[in-house]
Amino acid sequence: MTKHQLVYSTHEYGPEAFAQPWFNESNMAATLNQRWQAGFGYIHDRGIAPALVGEFGAQQVSTDTVKGCWFTQFTDYLAQTDISWTFWAWNPNSGDTGGILQDDLLTINQAKMNELTDLVRSQKATTTRRH
């Protein structure tokens, strides 16, 4: 198998999925960046193989909460690194993250959609600048 036949995939979730101790640290932002870089960012940065965040999601995206701060920081990290990603989930019944759809299964959670749209635009701009 060569590096062109392999993709590293990770799942990353914030405090809604599991309350890790680093979510309560005063230097949470630095700790999270170090974790992401050591966990999978280096694979992308060094060109070892493609990296894909196969799942990430959150119920809250407002930076008024630690949950929302985590979400914003992670989407910023993805934008800066241009690592590929998929969002979990579309349906609202994912207990720890909710979905892009609200409980009526028709209405978009606009706050989440705005954040994800900004992420796509950021990555598209980065990709355009590189080519």
Side-chain angles (χ1 to χ4, degrees):
M1 180 175 290
T2 69
K3 72 177 185 178
H4 301 292
Q5 298 173 315
L6 181 66
V7 173
Y8 286 88
S9 181
T10 187
H11 295 181
E12 181 66 23
Y13 288 101
E16 292 163 317
F18 193 77
Q20 298 289 352
W22 48 80
F23 295 127
N24 296 317
E25 293 178 6
S26 61
N27 62 343
M28 180 182 87
T31 300
L32 289 174
N33 277 330
Q34 291 169 355
R35 286 190 66 255
W36 297 329
Q37 193 59 31
F40 57 91
Y42 76 95
I43 295 168
H44 172 78
D45 292 349
R46 295 181 190 168
I48 295 169
L52 168 70
V53 176
E55 291 182 14
F56 84 99
Q59 287 184 358
Q60 298 180 20
V61 298
S62 167
T63 56
D64 294 343
T65 66
V66 171
K67 299 166 186 177
C69 288
W70 169 86
F71 182 83
T72 299
Q73 184 177 348
F74 191 61
T75 56
D76 288 349
Y77 179 82
L78 293 174
Q80 293 164 5
T81 59
D82 203 30
I83 293 175
S84 298
W85 54 273
T86 59
F87 186 81
W88 182 264
W90 178 252
N91 290 337
N93 59 350
S94 176
D96 48 7
T97 64
I100 293 175
L101 288 180
Q102 293 186 22
D103 289 342
D104 65 4
L105 295 172
L106 298 171
T107 308
I108 298 289
N109 178 319
Q110 202 57 55
K112 284 185 190 180
M113 198 66 199
N114 290 345
E115 294 293 329
L116 295 172
T117 300
D118 288 348
L119 174 55
V120 169
R121 286 183 181 140
S122 297
Q123 288 186 315
K124 189 180 282 188
T126 302
T127 302
T128 302
R129 284 192 300 269
R130 278 190 280 147
H131 294 289

